[in-house]
Amino acid sequence: MHGRLKVKDSSEKAAEKAIEREKKRVKYVAGIQFLFEMRERGSYNAEAFKSSALLLQVNPDALTLWCIRREILLYLRKRHYENKLLRSEDDGNKTEKTTETADEQDGEVADEKDASSTNHVEHSDWKGLPQTWKELASSELSVVASCLQANPKSYGAWHHRFWVLQQLCNDISEEDQQKVWKEELELCNLFLSKDERNFHCWDHRRAVTACGAVPAERELRFSLDLIERNFSNYSAWHYRSKLLPLVHAPPPDSCYPIHENTFHKELERVVNAVFTDPGDQSPWFFLRWLLQKQASKPQLVHMTVSRKEDGSAEVVSSFSRVVDEAAVSAMSPLHLATHVTWTSASGRPLDSVWLCEVAGDAAGDVVVAGGERVPLSAVDVSLRVTGAAVACPAAARAVLHTLLHDCRLLHQLDADNKWVLMSLAEVLCFLGSTDNVTEACDLLQRLSSVDPLRAGYYTDRRSSLKLQEAVAVQITDSTTGQETKFNGRSLGLPRLLLPHLLACCTHVDLANNNITDLAGACKLVSCTHLVLDGNPLTCLQPLSRLRRLREVSLASCGLQSGAQLAPLSALSSLRSLVLLNNEFPPSEIPVIRNSFQDVVSLKV
Amino acid sequence: MADHPKDVTITDEHPKTLLRDKHVEYIVSYSKKKDDFEYTMTEHIRMSGMYWGITAVDLLGCLGRMDHTEIVSFIQQCQDKTSGGIAPSIQHDPHMLSTLSAVQILVLLDSVSSIDVEGVVRYVSGLQNSDGSFNGDKWGEVDTRFSFCAVACLRLLNRLDAINKEKSVEFVMKCSNIDGGFGTRPGSETHAGQIYCCLGMLSILGELNRVDFDTLGWWLCERQLPSGGLNGRPEKLPDVCYSWWVLSSLTLLNRLHWINPDKMRTFILATQDPETGGFTDRPGDVPDLYHTLFGLAGLSLLGDTSLKRINPVFCMPQYVIDKLNISIQIVGDD
């Protein structure tokens, strides 16, 4: 019951309405029963065909009614071809051709329920219907059109319409088909002019343009027409985002989602749109897409090779986005003479953190910064390579700077416009540099108060930026020591954000943040020492996967029961556990001590 | 704050607390008014209607109020002996949507063995196309909704082996868009209902990592309007059913905290009909079973402990899914 307002009527009017509805109901039930009975007997006729149309006019979502119509239509088409066959018996050439067609039709019809069981129906039963299949199909399109007028969002009606079109086009010349699809495009235009967001009609349009081989360029123009009529037409922007890469494909490895020349034109257009009405969200989504291509490509974050006591080496690789095993092998700076199997941190086929074991005598090398190759045998303790920063071409930077300038102008005009604030923050992030990121963080903070509904999003985004900065400063290329320490204390993290950035860290200190949820902890594959003091943790389950943990500190985490610690009992290497200043009931302390007997240093 | 011309206003007159008893009465009495206009006009979605009602009643802890024998017998009569599919009502034709609804009801009532399970498996798997997509029925309508129905149905029956899973995933990923969301078919615009279907299906198959969590999560949290309600696409009115499609999607992405839960709850509660019980799409409209389930399910996802916990993929009480030992993927949980 979408969008039907509850109206309070006077008792008189209500009674009147109830009588009306009851009449309508009885008529509908009788109609349906009549149809189902005819179907049961396998004896459809013109009356059944007409009454199903009336019922569908009232209730176009009753899919079985459309099924019944299709059964009748298929039967009538078959009849049409049989009659043609009869009529053309005295014409030798034609007979051969039509026989083929009829056979083909038979094959199809046989699959459809009951379609052939209506064969015994008398010809006179079909009086009043169009005489030829083509006329019948056309009149069927009118029936559907009138159902759609009444209910333009009926899945069943749109699907039936396309089915009829396909049936019709099976039987007519190429030239006539083109005519049909051209007319159908007109119908799409009509329905979109009534409701520019009707996604059923948009889907239909896509199917129609594919069948009618409408050039993508023409549809691109159509999307522009709609956008120019109304910048808020998200559907039209969406259509554009699908068509542009087809018509103006970028060369491989381009940093733009579409060809560079077009990119600049589109950018100008969308910036113009946001200037016209900065509160309109549709163009902002499009703008974000135009700028996003570069960031969406997966890149190496870190790769660490660590020599183990037995001489073998363990390799941990992390990437900016999830990748599959083939991509890991291709993107990893590790080059081995023999094949090596990578496993993902989550055990899933796509992940951002991957590990592999390399035998002590394996031949190979690691490409480090500057392209130099370090033989694997030269890695005595550990070696880490960090992924190179994204090389944003000068032209793209210029674009970003112009956009930054534009956004600042808009910001001056409308300081509290959330879309402007957000785009400003995004552009600053793309440009990088500590100053820009600091400004972006301030803007995100501002956004939390301007748009409080999404404060959680802005907080995560801001904290992620801070974490990224801290990682960039603290985790650099290195060839010394087995340990990689990360200090992420007091960054205001609300959760374990971007845990893949810490995949190579042996020591992770996230004390005094605001972390409640440890989801994603399985990415901390190298972690042996973990400090989470002063975080209001609710669930420790994700820690159970970190089998290397030797020292864990959970002081002042608001833990209230020994049962919460159960996931830690799976950690066989644990030798130090700090549980000070939690809220365990005194009676539970001995139980906790007892369950962690193997832990050398237990502070509770 | 940007202008929101497409939103509603919630006033003090709208309900502020959960009207549990009213809803139970609304649902239980619904099936008893068989001569009612609404009841007649919704015959073509009867099976789904029953699923909405039964699930809602169970969330409210009153499953015992429904007539289990009558329900199971109805479902048996709706199964098509030839194709194995299940129709939305007696004499209607089988369809993917009603087949999933029927299986959900039977699982809830622990009565799966009362139908021809192999028939259902044959029907559902037979609707998969070579590109991995699924038809809604034998007439060939393709939609990512049906991909979800097929995978959810077969998972509940523990028969995912019957379809090509890789191809199913491949097709759904072809329906993704620049905003991170999903549409009905390749090229279709993103829609919150479709996102739920695609994420749910990927979650069951353990393939959620293919999704761009942040881009999609952001689009989803932008669905919340100042009233607290959620719409299903940009520039559209809020509707309580999106409190399910969007909230469950955000739950699967582990980003439920990206919307404001208090305002969301206020909106959902305001869509209750204080006279008849039941939830509506927007405050002041006419209630129905569909919005009643999704209103309650949304409240459950938001942590309302007076309701049974709901599973974000199957939209069934969590205890039922636990009994079957079915696990789903939630981002960050692995």
Side-chain angles (χ1 to χ4, degrees):
Chain A
M1 229 63 63
H2 281 99
R4 231 180 65 193
L5 196 68
K6 193 170 170 171
V7 199
K8 280 207 175 121
D9 292 322
S10 64
S11 58
E12 209 174 296
K13 201 170 172 198
E16 230 172 75
K17 261 192 185 170
I19 293 170
E20 258 328 286
R21 275 157 69 97
E22 182 57 15
K23 267 192 209 158
K24 212 171 152 188
R25 190 189 76 84
V26 169
K27 217 170 150 191
Y28 183 79
V29 172
I32 291 250
Q33 278 321 313
F34 167 70
L35 268 187
F36 282 159
E37 274 161 30
M38 298 216 98
R39 187 189 211 192
E40 196 94 350
R41 290 204 306 269
S43 61
Y44 289 133
N45 59 18
E47 201 192 337
F49 193 59
K50 283 177 185 162
S51 93
S52 67
L54 293 173
L55 292 165
L56 281 162
Q57 186 74 38
V58 181
N59 204 350
D61 291 326
L63 296 182
T64 306
L65 296 178
W66 290 117
C67 297
I68 288 175
R69 277 191 90 74
R70 285 191 282 269
E71 285 167 13
I72 297 175
L73 284 166
L74 283 177
Y75 165 73
L76 290 173
R77 186 174 83 157
K78 186 164 170 264
R79 261 182 83 98
H80 169 90
Y81 282 107
E82 278 168 357
N83 288 346
K84 199 167 167 187
L85 184 70
L86 288 174
R87 275 203 303 275
S88 52
E89 249 173 352
D90 47 4
D91 182 340
N93 287 334
K94 270 188 185 169
T95 309
E96 214 177 312
K97 204 178 164 197
T98 20
T99 310
E100 261 176 39
T101 321
D103 282 349
E104 253 177 56
Q105 301 313 330
D106 263 338
E108 268 182 44
V109 172
D111 288 335
E112 310 301 353
K113 188 178 168 185
D114 290 341
S116 48
S117 62
T118 48
N119 277 352
H120 66 275
V121 178
E122 288 301 309
H123 188 74
S124 59
D125 284 347
W126 299 102
K127 259 188 190 155
L129 290 188
Q131 290 303 302
T132 67
W133 162 241
K134 213 179 138 182
E135 283 165 21
L136 185 68
S138 299
S139 87
E140 184 66 4
L141 290 175
S142 309
V143 169
V144 189
S146 89
C147 286
L148 284 172
Q149 302 274 7
N151 187 350
K153 293 179 180 174
S154 166
Y155 284 98
W158 283 107
H159 171 245
H160 184 71
R161 186 163 186 94
F162 193 67
W163 181 87
V164 174
L165 288 165
Q166 280 180 312
Q167 299 300 317
L168 177 64
C169 286
N170 276 340
D171 303 336
I172 56 177
S173 71
E174 186 88 10
E175 203 179 310
D176 285 345
Q177 286 178 32
Q178 285 310 313
K179 246 194 245 161
V180 166
W181 296 119
K182 209 176 152 200
E183 275 174 31
E184 196 58 18
L185 203 58
E186 284 305 315
L187 177 123
C188 295
N189 288 339
L190 178 73
F191 274 85
L192 288 179
S193 71
K194 289 181 190 167
D195 176 3
E196 60 187 14
R197 302 293 307 283
N198 183 341
F199 70 85
H200 302 274
C201 185
W202 277 106
D203 282 349
H204 187 67
R205 184 183 188 97
R206 272 180 279 272
V208 168
T209 53
C211 292
V214 177
E217 287 86 349
R218 203 186 297 168
E219 287 300 281
L220 200 55
R221 262 204 308 279
F222 172 72
S223 74
L224 188 59
D225 287 347
L226 292 195
I227 288 169
E228 284 174 348
R229 217 173 296 159
N230 178 8
F231 283 140
S232 327
N233 189 344
Y234 191 89
S235 305
W237 287 106
H238 160 79
Y239 200 29
R240 211 160 171 74
S241 80
K242 289 286 171 190
L243 294 167
L244 279 169
L246 298 177
V247 180
H248 304 285
D253 285 331
S254 163
C255 67
Y256 305 110
I258 47 179
H259 196 276
E260 199 177 335
N261 298 337
T262 319
F263 172 84
H264 292 294
K265 275 187 220 153
E266 290 299 314
L267 189 69
E268 196 181 325
R269 191 185 332 275
V270 72
V271 167
N272 189 23
V274 298
F275 262 92
T276 309
D277 180 4
D280 193 339
Q281 58 182 306
S282 302
W284 288 109
F285 278 97
F286 188 81
L287 174 62
R288 206 172 154 119
W289 167 65
L290 279 182
L291 299 177
Q292 226 172 23
K293 170 86 193 287
Q294 196 63 58
S296 66
K297 262 186 172 166
Q299 284 174 337
L300 179 76
V301 178
H302 303 121
M303 189 192 77
T304 310
V305 185
S306 311
R307 188 67 67 191
K308 298 207 291 191
E309 276 171 16
D310 64 2
S312 67
E314 191 185 60
V315 187
V316 174
S317 292
S318 53
F319 301 87
S320 58
R321 299 182 76 83
V322 295
V323 288
D324 62 12
E325 197 195 343
V328 177
S329 305
M331 292 168 66
S332 166
L334 174 71
H335 297 275
L336 292 169
T338 51
H339 176 75
V340 46
T341 309
W342 291 89
T343 47
S344 67
S346 62
R348 299 199 187 271
L350 287 174
D351 203 327
S352 50
V353 175
W354 290 80
L355 303 96
C356 76
E357 293 271 346
V358 182
D361 56 355
D365 48 26
V366 177
V367 181
V368 296
E372 190 196 335
R373 283 174 176 258
V374 175
L376 201 55
S377 56
V379 181
D380 293 331
V381 187
S382 89
L383 170 68
R384 185 176 45 254
V385 184
T386 52
V390 187
C392 188
R397 287 190 75 82
V399 167
L400 288 173
H401 276 291
T402 312
L403 195 59
L404 185 67
H405 174 78
D406 292 342
C407 287
R408 285 200 197 284
L409 264 180
L410 279 176
H411 184 55
Q412 279 168 15
L413 295 170
D414 186 358
D416 278 350
N417 183 301
K418 73 169 227 181
W419 300 101
V420 177
L421 286 167
M422 201 139 82
S423 303
L424 206 47
E426 291 302 328
V427 174
L428 287 165
C429 289
F430 279 126
L431 284 168
S433 96
T434 311
D435 284 352
N436 285 339
V437 172
T438 308
E439 190 186 344
C441 284
D442 292 345
L443 291 166
L444 287 162
Q445 173 117 45
R446 176 99 197 92
L447 275 161
S448 291
S449 51
V450 168
D451 182 22
L453 288 178
R454 280 158 281 275
Y457 169 74
Y458 301 122
T459 307
D460 278 9
R461 190 84 184 86
R462 194 165 133 254
S463 301
S464 298
L465 288 175
K466 286 190 171 172
L467 185 82
Q468 270 171 322
E469 281 283 288
V471 168
V473 171
Q474 294 180 37
I475 306 174
T476 50
D477 287 7
S478 119
T479 50
T480 52
Q482 191 71 268
E483 296 176 348
T484 302
K485 294 185 177 176
F486 177 73
N487 177 353
R489 296 173 78 94
S490 308
L491 287 178
L493 303 177
R495 54 196 58 238
L496 211 53
L497 294 163
L498 310 177
H500 62 285
L501 299 185
L502 306 178
C504 65
C505 299
T506 54
H507 293 56
V508 176
D509 184 349
L510 298 172
N512 301 331
N513 281 293
N514 207 16
I515 301 171
T516 51
D517 181 359
L518 290 168
C522 77
K523 303 278 194 276
L524 305 178
V525 290
S526 311
C527 189
T528 56
H529 293 62
L530 180 63
V531 181
L532 290 167
D533 299 351
N535 285 290
L537 299 176
T538 50
C539 171
L540 303 179
Q541 192 55 46
L543 296 183
S544 66
R545 294 278 301 272
L546 305 180
R547 297 304 165 91
R548 293 190 188 188
L549 283 179
R550 289 209 301 272
E551 298 188 13
V552 176
S553 186
L554 302 170
S556 310
C557 288
L559 300 169
Q560 291 170 342
S561 126
Q564 284 176 283
L565 304 172
L568 301 179
S569 57
L571 305 173
S572 52
S573 313
L574 197 65
R575 55 160 212 231
S576 164
L577 179 61
V578 179
L579 297 168
L580 297 169
N581 295 326
N582 279 295
E583 293 154 31
F584 302 117
S587 61
E588 281 197 19
I589 305 283
V591 185
I592 293 172
R593 284 191 190 285
N594 201 29
S595 49
F596 290 101
Q597 271 177 345
D598 298 338
V599 175
V600 181
S601 165
L602 178 71
K603 290 179 187 157
V604 57
Chain B
M1 177 71 67
D3 289 330
H4 284 276
K6 297 209 164 161
D7 198 5
V8 296
T9 313
I10 294 170
T11 67
D12 286 343
E13 280 166 34
H14 294 119
K16 301 274 182 274
T17 54
L18 183 58
L19 311 170
R20 299 177 58 92
D21 298 345
K22 287 263 181 198
H23 299 315
V24 175
E25 286 318 311
Y26 171 75
I27 298 161
V28 172
S29 63
Y30 188 89
S31 58
K32 293 188 178 135
K33 294 183 214 150
K34 294 202 164 60
D35 287 335
D36 194 69
F37 181 75
E38 294 303 343
Y39 195 86
T40 305
M41 299 309 283
T42 53
E43 187 187 54
H44 63 282
I45 48 167
R46 182 72 65 240
M47 193 63 76
S48 298
M50 286 172 67
Y51 152 72
W52 299 326
I54 290 166
T55 309
V57 161
D58 195 13
L59 289 178
L60 289 160
C62 294
L63 188 58
R65 295 281 303 275
M66 305 301 267
D67 185 341
H68 296 197
T69 321
E70 186 192 15
I71 292 164
V72 172
S73 149
F74 175 80
I75 297 175
Q76 285 172 327
Q77 293 174 72
C78 288
Q79 184 166 28
D80 177 42
K81 289 195 176 57
T82 323
S83 67
I86 299 172
S89 196
I90 297 163
Q91 288 184 301
H92 286 247
D93 286 359
H95 195 276
M96 188 73 99
L97 293 168
S98 41
T99 300
L100 173 63
S101 292
V103 169
Q104 285 172 306
I105 298 170
L106 292 170
V107 166
L108 189 72
L109 299 179
D110 202 9
S111 307
V112 169
S113 58
S114 61
I115 54 155
D116 171 15
V117 172
E118 275 315 303
V120 171
V121 174
R122 187 174 72 239
Y123 179 74
V124 171
S125 56
L127 290 174
Q128 187 169 30
N129 298 307
S130 57
D131 65 355
S133 66
F134 284 85
N135 297 336
D137 62 12
K138 66 175 182 178
W139 297 101
E141 182 184 6
V142 169
D143 190 316
T144 45
R145 285 181 302 152
F146 309 142
S147 298
F148 170 76
C149 291
V151 169
C153 185
L154 294 177
R155 182 66 192 90
L156 288 171
L157 298 173
N158 204 16
R159 285 302 311 275
L160 276 176
D161 59 285
I163 52 162
N164 186 332
K165 297 193 279 285
E166 257 171 56
K167 280 271 173 195
S168 312
V169 172
E170 213 176 275
F171 176 77
V172 159
M173 291 314 297
K174 276 190 203 147
C175 301
S176 66
N177 294 319
I178 60 159
D179 46 29
F182 296 85
T184 45
R185 290 187 277 278
S188 303
E189 182 184 342
T190 294
H191 181 289
Q194 240 67 40
I195 293 175
Y196 159 79
C197 288
C198 295
L199 290 190
M201 182 259 196
L202 293 171
S203 167
I204 294 171
L205 297 176
E207 296 274 7
L208 268 187
N209 287 357
R210 291 172 182 264
V211 175
D212 183 344
F213 313 137
D214 286 335
T215 303
L216 178 53
W218 176 61
W219 188 91
L220 286 166
C221 76
E222 280 296 338
R223 298 306 102 238
Q224 190 166 35
L225 299 166
S227 66
L230 304 171
N231 60 19
R233 291 191 289 157
E235 319 279 357
K236 289 279 182 184
L237 282 168
D239 180 328
V240 95
C241 65
Y242 295 111
S243 59
W244 174 255
W245 312 124
V246 175
L247 292 186
S248 58
S249 299
L250 283 170
T251 303
L252 293 179
L253 296 177
N254 200 9
R255 280 155 175 77
L256 190 56
H257 61 288
W258 283 7
I259 57 126
N260 183 314
D262 297 331
K263 295 211 87 175
M264 174 83 256
R265 195 181 147 79
T266 306
F267 178 87
I268 298 177
L269 290 173
T271 62
Q272 298 176 99
D273 187 321
E275 289 168 7
T276 59
F279 289 69
T280 67
D281 57 350
R282 282 179 281 283
D285 283 357
V286 181
D288 58 46
L289 292 175
Y290 173 85
H291 290 98
T292 303
L293 171 62
F294 295 130
L296 291 169
L299 291 173
S300 172
L301 271 188
L302 290 172
D304 189 321
T305 48
S306 74
L307 295 166
K308 285 189 188 166
R309 202 154 72 85
I310 189 111
N311 179 282
V313 168
F314 292 97
C315 196
M316 294 165 70
Q318 184 60 39
Y319 80 91
V320 178
I321 302 301
D322 287 343
K323 259 201 294 201
L324 296 180
N325 249 325
I326 293 177
S327 60
I328 55 163
Q329 185 191 359
I330 290 182
V331 170
D333 256 13
D334 35 32

